[in-house]
C-alpha cells in the first residue's frame, strides 16, 4: 500500500517534469490524462476494479474517481486552459459510461428522470469545446452528479462561467470538484444525492512549469454549495458559498493539492472563507468602466483610433518585445472588443490592427478606447 503510493508520487513527479503534449482533444495519452492530476489524486484512487468505491478513470478530457456504491464520482479533476475553449457545440449526449469494469451497473440518464435533480456536470460541457469529441466526453454519466436546480443553475454555473472568463483573460486553472454527505438516493437506489457539491480551483497566469510557479500567494477559490433548493436562494452568487480547502478536506477525507509542498498547502488551504480571491486581477471586460486613476501608457500605448476605418494603432514604447496575446482593446461606448489584438510587438514598433467588415467604433458619439493587458490591468486609454 505505502509502496504503491510512493510509486504513484514518483510517476507523477516524473510526468510533471516532461513537456506536456498539445492540450486539445485527440487520442488518449497518459500525459494528457496526467495534466489533470498534476496537483494530486485526492483519494488515492486506482484503476483497479477492486477499488470499487474509489476507481480511477482517466480520459484525455478529465480524470475521476468513480464510486460504484454511490453511482457518482467521488471527485473529478481537470485542467482548464485557453486551448480547451473552442467552437464545438454542446452535444447533450448523456449516456452510460462505456468504460466501467465488466459487470458493474452503469448509471443511465433515465436514472435521473423525474427525480427533481439536474444531471449536473462536474467537468462542464462548456470547458471542453476544442473538439466535438472533447465535448461528448463530458456527457458520460460518471461525470454527472444529481444537482439541485438552484445549485446547478445558480452559483455553480456562475463559478463555471467565471473560471472560463479567467482563462480568456490569460489564466490557466486546476479544478477538482465533487459532492459530500447524503440526502438519499434516486434511480431505484442506484444514485446517491450528495448534501452539497464542492469545488476547488487553483488559478495561475498561463505559462509553463506550473508546479514550480505555485507558492503561498497563488490564488485559490473554493466553494461548497448546498444541494438543496431551499438553501440556495434565487440570485445567489458563488461568492456566498466560499469555504477554505481545509473545510472540504475535513468533510471528504481527501487531500486536495497533495503534490504541493506541505507548507504551501497549509497556506493555500486555510484561506478564510470570507476572503475574496485576491491575486486575480480583473477580469477586464468591455462592460466595466476602467479605473483611470492609474493608466501607465506603457509598455504599449494607443497611438490613435480611426473610427471611420475601424483601425486601432498600438505602439510598443518599451525596450523589450511585448506579447499582446490575451490583451483586450475596448470600445467603451458600445462595450465591444476590437478583434484581432495579439501577437508580438518589437521594441519601438507600432502596428495598425484592422477590424475589417465590423463596426464597433461609434462615428457619431464620443467613444473612448481602453487597452487592457492579459492580467486585466488597464494599460492605455484613448480619449476623444
Ligand atoms: Mn452544471
Ligand atoms: Mn491538501
Amino acid at each position: 500500500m505505502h509502496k504503491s503510493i510512493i510509486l504513484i508520487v514518483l510517476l507523477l513527479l516524473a510526468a510533471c517534469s516532461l513537456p506536456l503534449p498539445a492540450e486539445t482533444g485527440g487520442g488518449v495519452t497518459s500525459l494528457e490524462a496526467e495534466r489533470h492530476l498534476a496537483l494530486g489524486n485526492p483519494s488515492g484512487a486506482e484503476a483497479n476494479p477492486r477499488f470499487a468505491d474509489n476507481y480511477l478513470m482517466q480520459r484525455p478530457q478529465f480524470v475521476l474517481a468513480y464510486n460504484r456504491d454511490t453511482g457518482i464520482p467521488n471527485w473529478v479533476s481537470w485542467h482548464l486552459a485557453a486551448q480547451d475553449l473552442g467552437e464545438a457545440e454542446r452535444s447533450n449526449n448523456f449516456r452510460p459510461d462505456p468504460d466501467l469494469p465488466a459487470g458493474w451497473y452503469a448509471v443511465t440518464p433515465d436514472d435521473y428522470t423525474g427525480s427533481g435533480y439536474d444531471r449536473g456536470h462536474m467537468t462542464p460541457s462548456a470547458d471542453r469545446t476544442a473538439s466535438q469529441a472533447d465535448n461528448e466526453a463530458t456527457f458520460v454519466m460518471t461525470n454527472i452528479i444529481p444537482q439541485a436546480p438552484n445549485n446547478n443553475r445558480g452559483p455553480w454555473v456562475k463559478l463555471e462561467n467565471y473560471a472560463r472568463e479567467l482563462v480568456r483573460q490569460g489564466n490557466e486553472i486546476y479544478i477538482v470538484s465533487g459532492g459530500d454527505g447524503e440526502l438519499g438516493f434516486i434511480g431505484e437506489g442506484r444514485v446517491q444525492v450528495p448534501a452539497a457539491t464542492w469545488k476547488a480551483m487553483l488559478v495561475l497566469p498561463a505559462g509553463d512549469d506550473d508546479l514550480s510557479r505555485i507558492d503561498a500567494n497563488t490564488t485559490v477559490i473554493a466553494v461548497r454549495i448546498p444541494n438543496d433548493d431551499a438553501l440556495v436562494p434565487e440570485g445567489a452568487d458563488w461568492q456566498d458559498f466560499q469555504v477554505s480547502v481545509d473545510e472540504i478536506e475535513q468533510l471528504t477525507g481527501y487531500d486536495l493539492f497533495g503534490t504541493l509542498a506541505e507548507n504551501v498547502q497549509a497556506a493555500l488551504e486555510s484561506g478564510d472563507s470570507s476572503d475574496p480571491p485576491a491575486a486575480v486581477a480583473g477580469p477586464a471586460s468591455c462592460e466595466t468602466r476602467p479605473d483611470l486613476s492609474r493608466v501607465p501608457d506603457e509598455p504599449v500605448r494607443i497611438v490613435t483610433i480611426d473610427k471611420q476605418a475601424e483601425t486601432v494603432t498600438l505602439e510598443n514604447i518599451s525596450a523589450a518585445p511585448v506579447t499582446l496575446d490575451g490583451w483586450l482593446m475596448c470600445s467603451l461606448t458600445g462595450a465591444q472588443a476590437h478583434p484581432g489584438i495579439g501577437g508580438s510587438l518589437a521594441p519601438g514598433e507600432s502596428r495598425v490592427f484592422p477590424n475589417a467588415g465590423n463596426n464597433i467604433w461609434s462615428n457619431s458619439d464620443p467613444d473612448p478606447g481602453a487597452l487592457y493587458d492579459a492580467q486585466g490591468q488597464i494599460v492605455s486609454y484613448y480619449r476623444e
Side-chain angles (χ1 to χ4, degrees), residues 278-309:
V280 177
S285 153
C286 290
E287 276 118 56
T288 317
R289 295 284 109 181
D291 173 6
L292 298 178
S293 61
R294 191 184 157 272
V295 181
D297 274 321
E298 62 175 15
V300 174
R301 72 182 185 100
I302 304 167
V303 179
T304 188
I305 300 172
D306 184 332
K307 295 176 177 178
Q308 302 286 339

Side-chain angles (χ1 to χ4, degrees), residues 133-157:
D134 280 358
N135 188 262
E136 286 274 323
T138 68
F139 286 86
V140 290
M141 293 303 291
T142 52
N143 181 43
I144 304 296
I145 284 182
Q147 258 183 308
N150 284 7
N151 170 347
N152 181 42
R153 305 173 199 180
W156 193 259
V157 75

Side-chain angles (χ1 to χ4, degrees), residues 20 23 39 79 170-174 202-219 260 264 268 375:
L20 293 174
E23 292 181 341
L39 296 191
H79 177 248
N171 295 291
E172 60 181 301
I173 313 185
Y174 289 89
L202 185 144
V203 187
L204 288 170
D208 300 322
D209 296 322
D210 295 346
L211 287 183
S212 72
R213 298 186 291 131
I214 298 170
D215 62 27
N217 296 313
T218 300
T219 294
L260 303 181
V264 175
L268 295 181
Q375 277 72 48

Side-chain angles (χ1 to χ4, degrees), residues 245-246 249 254-258 265 269:
V245 172
D246 280 341
E249 291 188 335
Y254 304 148
D255 181 11
L256 307 188
F257 306 148
Q265 285 188 61
E269 294 176 355

